[in-house]
Amino acid sequence: MNKLLTLTIASELFLLLPFLIIFLINRKTKKNILLLPFWIIGGGPLLYLAIDDLYSNYIDANIGLGLAFMFTWIYSLIALIVAISLLVKKKRKNNISKEE
């Protein structure tokens, strides 16, 4: 398998992880529908540029592809921090309600 394809799949799975956590935390379907555009915004540029690079062999370095990977990784990290904070908030809320 191509190294670029492997790295793209791993990056997209790393992006999917925080959105799955948020999806499992929120049981409201209307809020979960709003997650889809955020996931597309995070993964769309990387998928487009990775597919473009696979089909057209550029002689020079593809700076846009590198920037797309950086954007996706930073976006994934921010989404993971938000997901973990929501998870901690929900656990604290459940613990406080159980104590009362």
Side-chain angles (χ1 to χ4, degrees):
M1 191 182 280
N2 191 356
K3 186 176 179 180
L4 174 65
L5 186 62
T6 306
L7 194 57
T8 303
I9 291 171
S11 296
E12 292 294 330
L13 288 176
F14 181 64
L15 176 65
L16 185 62
L17 177 70
F19 287 99
L20 281 175
I21 293 171
I22 295 171
F23 178 78
L24 293 174
I25 290 172
N26 293 333
R27 297 291 180 182
K28 300 175 185 172
T29 56
K30 289 185 179 182
K31 279 190 176 181
N32 289 337
I33 292 172
L34 294 175
L35 291 176
L36 186 63
F38 286 115
W39 184 59
I40 292 171
I41 289 170
L46 177 61
L47 283 177
Y48 173 75
L49 288 171
I51 291 170
D52 180 50
D53 191 65
L54 286 174
Y55 284 118
S56 56
N57 295 326
Y58 296 110
I59 296 172
D60 58 341
N62 192 348
I63 303 297
L65 183 62
L67 289 173
F69 272 108
M70 290 292 284
F71 171 75
T72 303
W73 294 336
I74 292 170
Y75 194 86
S76 299
L77 185 64
I78 292 170
L80 187 63
I81 291 170
V82 168
I84 289 172
S85 67
L86 289 174
L87 185 66
V88 168
K89 183 179 175 183
K90 183 162 181 123
K91 281 192 174 191
R92 284 185 184 171
K93 184 180 176 184
N94 286 342
N95 287 340
I96 290 173
S97 65
K98 285 181 182 178
E99 289 176 2
E100 292 178 354

